[in-house]
């Protein structure tokens, strides 16, 4: 379910109460632009800012890969993706590839291929800074928490971590943040990198804290059309170069350096060649 940003609190309250694909590469004159799917509402990872500017670690990775594929910055078109429609956008050729906190798993690999991984995150919980009753996953039972439709985090809570928890799934993480801030919900769950980005925003300073739990291991990959091994190989080569020349560490420091967040080292690439 996608909930508009306007009236997000009311919409989430109601829910609680009621319970690239084409892979064309440089040199193709018919495709002068490369279309890359990213999140538009994830501070620190993928954020659309005023003036149609984009920032975040995923954005930096996407730009680096595009550069290595031969695309100039002004030939990159960023397209917004939601967690629930990433596979569909790839399958319908709406993007060339997706860099959007996209965890690699077997269910998704049945529909799309991945390059990477390029980052390792862990599922965690974001709670209000005054919260003292949620310190482990089991504490979520009989609590109301928020995640986004199609995320692995919501599925982990539902099937493994706290089956008695009430889960509200919305279209974007920013809606969860608003509901948490307004005390409509008790916690928000997703990857720690995403949560850290929200907690570090100026408007949220002092309002939230991460519990510091490592509830899962999430290996972020770059999603692309199934069977496009040529593009997969080229993206993997770009990711390896990004680590080797220091650009990966530089991007991590630029996007997470102001937050009390310790990232994992750059992971070994396991998908494709």
């Amino acid at each position: 379910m996608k909930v508009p940003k306007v009236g997000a609190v009311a919409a989430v309250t109601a829910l609680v109460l009621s319970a690239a694909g084409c892979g064309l590469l440089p040199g193709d004159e018919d495709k002068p632009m490369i279309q890359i799917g990213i999140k538009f509402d994830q501070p620190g990872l993928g954020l659309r800012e005023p003036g149609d500017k984009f920032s975040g670690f995923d954005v930096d990775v996407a730009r680096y890969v595009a550069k290595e594929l031969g695309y100039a910055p002004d030939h990159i078109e960023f397209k917004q993706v939601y967690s629930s429609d990433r596979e569909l956008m790839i399958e319908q050729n709406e993007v060339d590839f997706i860099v959007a906190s996209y965890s690699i798993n077997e269910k998704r690999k049945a529909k799309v291929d991945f390059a990477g991984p390029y980052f390792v995150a862990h599922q965690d919980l974001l709670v209000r800074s005054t919260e003292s009753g949620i310190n482990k996953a089991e504490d979520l039972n009989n609590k109301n928490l928020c995640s986004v439709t199609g995320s692995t985090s919501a599925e982990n809570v539902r099937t493994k971590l706290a089956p008695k928890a009430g889960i509200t799934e919305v279209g974007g993480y920013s809606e969860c943040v608003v509901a948490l801030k307004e005390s409509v919900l008790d916690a928000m769950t997703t990857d720690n990198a995403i949560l850290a980005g929200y907690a570090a925003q100026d408007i949220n300073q002092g309002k939230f804290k991460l519990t510091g739990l490592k509830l899962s291991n999430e290996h972020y990959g770059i999603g692309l059309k199934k069977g496009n091994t040529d593009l997969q190989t080229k993206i993997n080569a770009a990711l390896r170069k990004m680590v080797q020349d220091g650009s990966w560490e530089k991007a991590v420091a630029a996007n997470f350096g102001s937050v009390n967040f310790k990232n994992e080292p750059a992971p070994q690439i396991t998908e494709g060649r």
Side-chain angles (χ1 to χ4, degrees):
M1 174 180 183
K2 296 178 183 176
V3 181
K5 298 295 183 295
V6 178
V9 175
V12 174
T13 302
L15 284 170
V16 174
L17 294 177
S18 65
C22 52
L24 299 175
L25 296 172
D28 188 335
E29 297 178 357
D30 294 328
K31 191 173 179 62
M33 302 287 291
I34 187 167
Q35 296 174 315
I36 305 175
I38 63 169
K39 295 292 184 70
F40 278 22
D41 68 339
Q42 288 184 354
L45 285 169
L47 183 67
R48 183 178 184 177
E49 301 186 84
D52 207 29
K53 296 180 180 180
F54 298 92
S55 66
F57 181 74
D58 282 350
V59 174
D60 290 343
V61 171
R63 285 175 172 150
Y64 190 97
V65 170
K67 173 179 67 72
E68 292 301 306
L69 292 177
Y71 290 91
D74 60 353
H75 280 69
I76 300 172
E77 179 185 358
F78 287 120
K79 301 187 74 171
Q80 183 175 22
V81 299
Y82 295 89
S83 294
S84 58
D85 63 10
R86 287 176 294 203
E87 288 85 27
L88 188 63
M89 290 186 72
I90 292 171
E91 291 172 335
Q92 294 187 351
N93 300 326
E94 294 184 34
V95 292
D96 291 285
F97 56 83
I98 287 178
V99 191
S101 56
Y102 201 1
S103 297
I104 301 170
N105 62 39
E106 293 304 315
K107 182 178 179 180
R108 289 169 177 166
K109 286 170 68 172
K111 295 182 179 180
V112 302
D113 281 340
F114 287 94
Y118 64 90
F119 192 81
V120 178
H122 303 285
Q123 183 177 351
D124 198 355
L125 303 172
L126 187 72
V127 297
R128 288 179 291 277
S129 57
T130 55
E131 176 64 59
S132 60
I134 300 177
N135 301 295
K136 57 185 182 298
E138 292 83 355
D139 293 336
L140 293 172
N141 284 308
N142 301 315
K143 297 280 189 180
N144 291 312
L145 70 152
C146 188
S147 193
V148 301
T149 304
S151 72
T152 55
S153 299
E155 187 67 14
N156 285 341
V157 171
R158 184 179 293 110
T159 61
K160 302 174 184 178
L161 302 174
K164 294 182 180 179
I167 303 177
T168 298
E169 296 183 65
V170 295
Y173 291 111
S174 57
E175 297 160 42
C176 290
V177 173
V178 173
L180 184 60
K181 186 182 298 185
E182 297 296 330
S183 300
V184 175
L185 296 165
D186 301 305
M188 169 182 170
T189 186
T190 186
D191 303 339
N192 53 3
I194 300 173
L195 299 176
Y198 280 111
Q201 282 189 296
D202 290 342
I203 59 173
N204 294 329
Q205 286 291 326
K207 293 182 173 65
F208 304 115
K209 62 182 179 181
L210 277 72
T211 59
L213 301 176
K214 293 184 177 181
L215 302 174
S216 70
N217 297 319
E218 305 297 335
H219 293 77
Y220 290 172
I222 295 179
L224 64 152
K225 191 73 174 283
K226 200 161 184 64
N228 196 337
T229 56
D230 186 38
L231 180 59
Q232 183 187 48
T233 299
K234 287 179 168 61
I235 293 176
N236 279 337
L239 294 175
R240 290 189 180 98
K241 184 177 179 181
M242 188 177 186
V243 173
Q244 291 167 357
D245 69 14
S247 297
W248 189 91
E249 284 287 356
K250 184 178 179 180
V252 169
N255 291 291
F256 302 116
S258 63
V259 185
N260 185 22
F261 170 73
K262 183 173 176 56
N263 64 282
E264 299 286 352
Q268 294 294 314
I269 290 176
T270 60
E271 302 301 310
R273 300 189 301 273

